[in-house]
Amino acid sequence: MRESPGWRALGKAYGMTADSETPLRADARRNRDQIIAAARTIFTQQGPDVPMEVIARAAAVGVGTLYRRFPDRDALIGAVARDNFARVLTEARASIAEEPTAWDALVRFLRQSRELKLSVQLAMVSPVAAVVIRDDPLTDEFRRALLDELDSVVHAAQAEGTLRKDVDTGDVAMLFSLLLRQISGDDELARVAPERCMTLMLDGLRAQPGSPLPGRPLTSEDLNKHLTPPT
Amino acid sequence: MRESPGWRALGKAYGMTADSETPLRADARRNRDQIIAAARTIFTQQGPDVPMEVIARAAAVGVGTLYRRFPDRDALIGAVARDNFARVLTEARASIAEEPTAWDALVRFLRQSRELKLSVQLAMVSPVAAVVIRDDPLTDEFRRALLDELDSVVHAAQAEGTLRKDVDTGDVAMLFSLLLRQISGDDELARVAPERCMTLMLDGLRAQPGSPLPGRPLTSEDLNKHLTPPT
DNA sequence: GCCTATGTGGAGGAAAATATTCCGGTTCCT
DNA sequence: AGGAACCGGAATATTTTCCTCCACATAGGC
């Protein structure tokens, strides 16, 4: 009868922010991290509506363990969101700090960041997750901080003359949020296409265009091959 | 016991291509069209995995009617796919015939075509639908014809000098397939964003950039408003 | 090494979502 | 009018998903 009343509610509101309650046994902590890592991957690919068991399997853990650590899906989503937003923020700051120009920082940030995908997915695509995020003050804080950083790069790039003046942070975020959905399959097309699209989109953003595209042009024959032969 | 053996298989393979079997009573035909129309809308928005009853309701029809006309989901998907591919093909040909330049034809085709969205969704995003399409010779024919048309516009635009030379039909299709997923919600952001993205992407494709963007720049504050206040 | 609080896996029953059948009643067509 | 074709949706079957529970395992202080 260890559970005092309100324990669950507290856990759900603030999550396990490292310092909460008893400091988890070593293996428990490891499992918890695996769960979040697995959920991060799967949420990115399939959205936050996948059955809990899928996540448990991917984390090499029993469903029981998952439920013990996260009382319901919302708790899990919340934890993943906090973790993910923090990562994105870190990446953004690193880009800004390490790249010579604002444009380079922007490009690096957008290119390297698979994490960003998940953030946008959680915040803007999935209605369920959006609610969870709105109700979690910590996540909300991360989100604000992130947007501040983005704002500063975007405006700096415009001051540099590398980013067109008729867009703003919202446009940039929206544009790249479109890279969300994966093409099904795992052939060359599915692998190369996102990079090419990314480059084309960056050319669209740039004040003057002209970047070379990676890979070779994808023809309609490529699409055919993607549709027909696998089996 | 009207159903001779093989009837279902035949119906599934070729679908009701207007001339199949007995020519359907008037009300039946009407209902069938409503079903396909409804399915088209819903598939576009939510993908082809929605419960059958949702489609029936949207078509103002009982589930029974739906199942009578389409023995299973695959049959429905097949019918919608044929209908949709045919529409896209028509739109493509109209664009090519009526626009003065290849670039204009391309832009019009990509802009106006909500249908295209569904085609790409069915053919490339949903694995289930992809299988159905692959197994249906008629749909396959449509798809080839469509890609031929696309090929010709793309190459014509390149010959004109309006489309960059380092892309091909596959790139164009992929890029716009990204416009698939909607942002959740129905506020200004959700309404304006797609158009802006479309224009940015076209700028990225264009040999020289410079189109004015519709609407006003979306700021990070716009994103905030989208996330917080509704209720 | 031993002991116990803490943690684990996953079977299994409850609940929800979805698919599919069936038939009394209605509508079209000649 | 009259019969074949068709309709709606309640009822039933099936599948998916959730979540609890407990016999067994392990970490880690002593």
Side-chain angles (χ1 to χ4, degrees), chain B residues 98-115:
Chain B
E98 294 164 19
E99 295 299 321
T101 72
W103 175 261
D104 288 330
L106 191 58
V107 171
R108 166 172 155 187
F109 175 62
L110 294 174
R111 289 205 107 96
Q112 85 174 14
S113 187
R114 300 227 147 277
E115 300 292 343

Side-chain angles (χ1 to χ4, degrees), chain A residues 193-221:
Chain A
E195 280 305 310
R196 294 182 64 84
C197 289
M198 172 77 77
T199 309
L200 280 171
M201 291 163 94
L202 285 171
D203 274 8
L205 279 181
R206 193 155 208 160
Q208 296 90 17
S211 326
L213 290 174
R216 59 171 176 72
L218 302 175
T219 67
S220 56
E221 188 45 38

Side-chain angles (χ1 to χ4, degrees), chain A residues 5-231:
Chain A
W7 186 87
R8 283 168 91 103
L10 193 79
K12 180 171 176 182
Y14 297 122
M16 297 61 186
T17 19
D19 59 342
S20 80
E21 281 316 314
T22 328
L24 284 187
R25 221 170 68 178
D27 53 347
R29 159 124 225 119
R30 195 179 331 124
N31 281 336
R32 182 180 175 282
D33 292 346
Q34 284 173 11
I35 290 174
I36 290 198
R40 194 168 60 223
T41 305
I42 292 181
F43 282 179
T44 305
Q45 292 168 350
Q46 328 203 155
D49 296 329
V50 295
M52 296 296 245
E53 191 176 345
V54 170
I55 296 165
R57 277 204 197 286
V61 138
V63 249
T65 304
L66 177 48
Y67 274 98
R68 190 169 331 101
R69 213 53 67 193
F70 306 97
D72 55 29
R73 167 174 276 108
D74 282 0
L76 178 59
I77 291 179
V80 171
R82 282 190 295 278
D83 174 90
N84 170 253
F85 273 61
R87 281 167 191 269
V88 175
L89 187 54
T90 303
E91 281 181 357
R93 284 179 173 150
S95 298
I96 292 170
E98 294 165 19
E99 296 298 321
T101 72
W103 176 260
D104 288 330
L106 190 58
V107 171
R108 165 171 157 187
F109 175 62
L110 294 174
R111 288 204 106 96
Q112 85 173 17
S113 187
R114 300 226 148 277
E115 299 294 340
L116 179 60
K117 248 172 129 164
L118 180 53
S119 291
V120 179
Q121 168 122 264
L122 292 177
M124 317 215 47
V125 178
S126 162
V128 226
V131 171
V132 175
I133 287 175
R134 171 152 66 241
D135 295 350
D136 180 55
L138 189 50
T139 311
D140 201 66
E141 184 118 10
F142 276 134
R143 186 172 58 77
R144 281 175 204 284
L146 175 61
L147 284 178
D148 283 351
E149 299 288 347
L150 253 184
D151 260 347
S152 75
V153 207
V154 164
H155 296 151
Q158 286 174 326
E160 279 174 15
T162 44
L163 180 65
R164 45 193 296 179
K165 298 282 199 312
D166 56 353
V167 300
D168 202 335
T169 314
D171 290 296
V172 176
M174 297 290 355
L175 190 59
F176 285 86
S177 77
L178 296 179
L179 276 177
L180 273 179
R181 277 284 152 183
Q182 310 280 32
I183 300 306
S184 69
D186 192 32
D187 50 6
E188 193 204 350
L189 185 75
R191 262 174 286 120
V192 183
E195 280 305 310
R196 294 182 64 84
C197 289
M198 172 77 77
T199 309
L200 280 171
M201 291 163 94
L202 285 171
D203 274 8
L205 279 181
R206 193 155 208 160
Q208 296 90 17
S211 326
L213 290 174
R216 59 171 176 72
L218 302 175
T219 67
S220 56
E221 188 45 38
D222 290 328
L223 295 183
N224 279 330
K225 273 190 299 189
H226 181 262
L227 277 177
T228 35
T231 321

